Amino acid sequence: MLSERRLQVLRAIVQDYVGTEEPVGSKALTERHSLGVSPATVRNDMAALEDEGFIAQPHTSAGRIPTDKGYRLFVDKLAGVKPMTAPERRAIQNFLDGAVDLDDVVARTVRLLAQLTRQVAVVQYPSLTRSTVRHVELLSLAPARVMLVLITDTGRVEQRMVDCPAPFGEASLADLRARLNSRVAGRRFADVPQLVEDLPEGFDIEDRGTVTTVLSTLLETLVEENEERLMIGGTANLTRFGHDFPLTIRPVLEALEEQVVLLKLLGEAGDSGMTVRIGHENAYEGLNSTSVVSVGYGSGGEAVAKLGVVGPTRMDYPGTMGAVRAVARYVGQILAES
Amino acid sequence: MLSERRLQVLRAIVQDYVGTEEPVGSKALTERHSLGVSPATVRNDMAALEDEGFIAQPHTSAGRIPTDKGYRLFVDKLAGVKPMTAPERRAIQNFLDGAVDLDDVVARTVRLLAQLTRQVAVVQYPSLTRSTVRHVELLSLAPARVMLVLITDTGRVEQRMVDCPAPFGEASLADLRARLNSRVAGRRFADVPQLVEDLPEGFDIEDRGTVTTVLSTLLETLVEENEERLMIGGTANLTRFGHDFPLTIRPVLEALEEQVVLLKLLGEAGDSGMTVRIGHENAYEGLNSTSVVSVGYGSGGEAVAKLGVVGPTRMDYPGTMGAVRAVARYVGQILAES
DNA sequence: GCTGGCACTCGGATGTGAAGAGTGCCAGGT
DNA sequence: ACCTGGCACTCTTCACATCCGAGTGCCAGC
């Protein structure tokens, strides 16, 4: 087990390295942090920390930098979450309050997170399947053409065109709309498939084909893979990554463009509470030199989606976690109001 | 006026520089292009071209690279648009045909453009004001809460919440819906403000406030600044920019995140035909070392929005222009079908 | 007006040396 | 048992000098 002081040394190393972006040596450490011991002692501690794999030397005769394992220990044991200051909280609230619709909420959230953390922000749209149906609308655009509009309690709106196998009258449409809504309104989207299973049975034989088509389009929209959307922002912050970044930035940008990768990334994170994935803890190779801080957000107690940031492993974890948590909280409030 | 051969020399310089990314010298030119003259002659021509400002030397004793003015001449006079090959056309069509809704069309278009050109792609959503109203839907979500949904002929759907000053009955809602649609359906969004101007007058006094509120929300949605949306992609291609790119890539990423900047950029481009803005021709400073190739697209003859790519001034103009034009054409077709 | 020849320039690569930061280890003190 | 000062050692970094070659501009000759 590591002594208390060694943990302090590790904490100091992480803090200094995050601040300066340069390997930190024993002398500098004793000067900047009042550890009460001499550089030589710190050197011994550092040697021990290196043996345990918490820190490493880029080259002999350079200072130490934390390893992924070192950051992990730092996050788990040595640092808390830095709460936002009151002015920051007010700024967050003000910024988010002006949104006119869900797209706007998400867009503002992304900008906000990117600005607060000075990193790349990722915000997932509220998942359909985890939301509740507010209303399902059917619009007749042409005799055999229906537009299906799904509206969730979080303000998300999804629409699909449906080409019907046969013309579908206004009356039938109104009928379907009414029956559909009476079954699903207020229920969770995840339950919709079962709720509408036997719906076609109540219709005339000539309309049944169309009803089935509409319903299958509805179900397709709810399929996991299709229904997840997200927005990213703050990619310009990647340029602060490091001096070597041609090689670092490329795969990160590629990962960010692959929504599938990002969704998986967020999906892997724990469902409740904040998740921090450091460096190689991320399954996707391109993100091996980044850390991902994510948290679920939702209008009620339950998370309907996640948001987070992607940044270099050398990041200000307490500050980042504080910002992510605060933003998630306010976004949840906004959604609950709308 | 420049002699025919000098123009050929310029063309060769542009082509070689685009290919190799390195300044091109007189000897290499004569070897790779059969100009029929010796390096010494080419040197004279190059000196002349440099005097005229079409090419420049990074340092004495390096080859020449084209200036913005040189590229301009190249694009205007020396190169055409390289048409897509048949397999490429098929690939474009196949890729775009699978889209399920407008978001999907735009997303696929962005990916496609980015892949074809290996540059950053920007696609504007069909402008509301330049589209035609297909349908306006009003949904009652709560006694004093209405959701307004606008549907365009290009498949774009925009929704807004409206908090009504007074409860609004289903009957009144249906009435408003019917009157509204009979006035605006099939008309251009740009004309909507005039078309609905006197609409509140036909309603009972107690409903008039709500009608006015709904209409003003509708009009707000059409305000230029709010209604434009766009999607970008292929930012990972920025890493191919050059060797010095910390400084180059930063402002470009920042510009790309500022939708306002991008919209202005696309807006400045000519309304019909393809526009190429080279280097300093772009008003926005951060894009001074990039070129923007853009073109309008639309379902009919008229452009409803623009799309294009942003890349280094050193880009393959004929190929890029060909790809941009082809994609715009197919997107137009897809929109016309939906 | 084109060409070969030639001197010149300058950037990039390579090499050397000194400086500096940081380490590891050891012997001695508390 | 642990901390400390001292010291030799390692390696990176930077400055400076050198060399090489690509490319140029110019000129005399065809």
Side-chain angles (χ1 to χ4, degrees), chain B residues 226-261:
Chain B
N226 300 328
E227 66 110 341
E228 308 271 28
R229 291 188 58 195
L230 45 79
M231 195 178 278
I232 71 171
T235 48
N237 290 322
L238 285 177
T239 53
R240 301 184 308 111
F241 237 60
H243 325 286
D244 53 341
F245 59 92
L247 294 171
T248 322
I249 206 175
R250 181 80 188 260
V252 178
L253 275 174
E254 278 169 359
L256 293 174
E257 299 228 330
E258 284 302 326
Q259 307 229 334
V260 185
V261 171

Side-chain angles (χ1 to χ4, degrees), chain B residues 9 23 33 69 76 109 127 165-166 189 218 232 244-245 251 281 321:
Chain B
V9 169
H33 304 262
K69 190 178 169 191
D76 288 346
T109 306
S127 147
F189 270 98
L218 169 57
I232 71 171
D244 53 341
F245 59 92
E281 295 171 9
M321 291 166 79

Side-chain angles (χ1 to χ4, degrees), chain A residues 100-103 111 114 118 125 134-135 137-141 145 147 149 151-152 155-161 177 220 229 231-240 243 245-247 249-250 253-254 257-259 337-338, chain B residues 100-103 111 114 118 125 134-135 137-141 145 147 149 151-152 155-161 177 220 229 231-240 243 245-247 249-250 253-254 257-259 337-338:
Chain A
V100 301
D101 65 0
L102 182 66
D103 275 326
R111 291 184 77 103
R118 303 199 54 183
Y125 277 73
R134 183 177 273 169
H135 186 82
E137 182 60 26
L138 297 171
L139 298 173
S140 176
L141 298 180
R145 194 124 207 239
M147 173 174 265
V149 183
I151 303 169
T152 79
R156 183 166 166 189
V157 178
E158 255 340 270
Q159 83 282 353
R160 286 287 184 289
M161 284 307 178
R177 181 191 301 131
E220 263 170 38
R229 291 188 58 194
M231 194 177 278
I232 71 172
T235 49
N237 290 322
L238 286 176
T239 53
R240 301 183 309 112
H243 324 287
F245 60 93
L247 294 170
I249 206 175
R250 181 81 188 259
L253 275 174
E254 278 168 0
E257 298 230 326
E258 283 302 325
Q259 307 229 334
E337 288 164 15
S338 67
Chain B
V100 301
D101 66 359
L102 181 67
D103 275 326
R111 289 184 79 104
R118 304 198 53 185
Y125 277 73
R134 183 177 269 168
H135 187 84
E137 183 59 28
L138 297 171
L139 298 173
S140 174
L141 298 179
R145 194 119 206 242
M147 174 175 266
V149 184
I151 304 170
T152 78
R156 183 163 166 191
V157 178
E158 220 39 49
Q159 83 281 352
R160 285 289 184 287
M161 284 305 178
R177 182 191 301 131
E220 262 170 37
R229 291 188 58 195
M231 195 178 278
I232 71 171
T235 48
N237 290 322
L238 285 177
T239 53
R240 301 184 308 111
H243 325 286
F245 59 92
L247 294 171
I249 206 175
R250 181 80 188 260
L253 275 174
E254 278 169 359
E257 299 228 330
E258 284 302 326
Q259 307 229 334
E337 288 164 16
S338 67

Side-chain angles (χ1 to χ4, degrees), chain B residues 162-179:
Chain B
V162 186
D163 281 312
C164 310
F168 199 54
E170 268 301 337
S172 306
L173 193 70
D175 191 18
L176 176 56
R177 182 191 301 131
R179 294 205 211 181

Side-chain angles (χ1 to χ4, degrees), chain B residues 293-320:
Chain B
V293 177
S294 61
V295 67
Y297 71 90
S299 50
E302 209 175 348
V304 293
K306 289 178 186 154
L307 58 76
V309 305
V310 179
T313 51
R314 164 186 41 67
M315 69 161 70
D316 168 19
Y317 289 96
T320 303

Side-chain angles (χ1 to χ4, degrees), chain B residues 122-239:
Chain B
V122 181
V123 178
Q124 192 181 0
Y125 277 73
S127 147
L128 282 190
T129 43
R130 283 188 242 179
S131 306
T132 302
V133 183
R134 183 177 269 168
H135 187 84
V136 178
E137 183 59 28
L138 297 171
L139 298 173
S140 174
L141 298 179
R145 194 119 206 242
V146 169
M147 174 175 266
L148 171 68
V149 184
L150 306 181
I151 304 170
T152 78
D153 58 338
T154 49
R156 183 163 166 191
V157 178
E158 220 39 49
Q159 83 281 352
R160 285 289 184 287
M161 284 305 178
V162 186
D163 281 312
C164 310
F168 199 54
E170 268 301 337
S172 306
L173 193 70
D175 191 18
L176 176 56
R177 182 191 301 131
R179 294 205 211 181
L180 195 49
N181 275 294
S182 76
R183 292 211 186 184
V184 302
R187 311 295 293 266
R188 299 169 48 88
F189 270 98
D191 301 330
V192 167
Q194 296 147 44
L195 292 170
V196 302
E197 212 169 5
D198 59 344
L199 201 59
E201 291 165 20
F203 285 84
D204 290 347
I205 195 76
E206 70 250 28
D207 283 342
R208 210 169 286 173
T210 296
V211 171
T212 311
T213 309
V214 170
L215 291 182
S216 72
T217 304
L218 169 57
L219 299 189
E220 262 170 37
T221 312
L222 298 178
V223 170
E224 184 89 21
E225 197 177 309
N226 300 328
E227 66 110 341
E228 308 271 28
R229 291 188 58 195
L230 45 79
M231 195 178 278
I232 71 171
T235 48
N237 290 322
L238 285 177
T239 53

Side-chain angles (χ1 to χ4, degrees), chain B residues 82-100:
Chain B
K82 188 173 151 210
M84 297 277 96
T85 64
E88 281 171 329
R89 291 173 173 280
R90 272 197 298 280
I92 292 174
Q93 189 141 30
N94 284 339
F95 191 70
L96 291 181
D97 267 349
V100 301

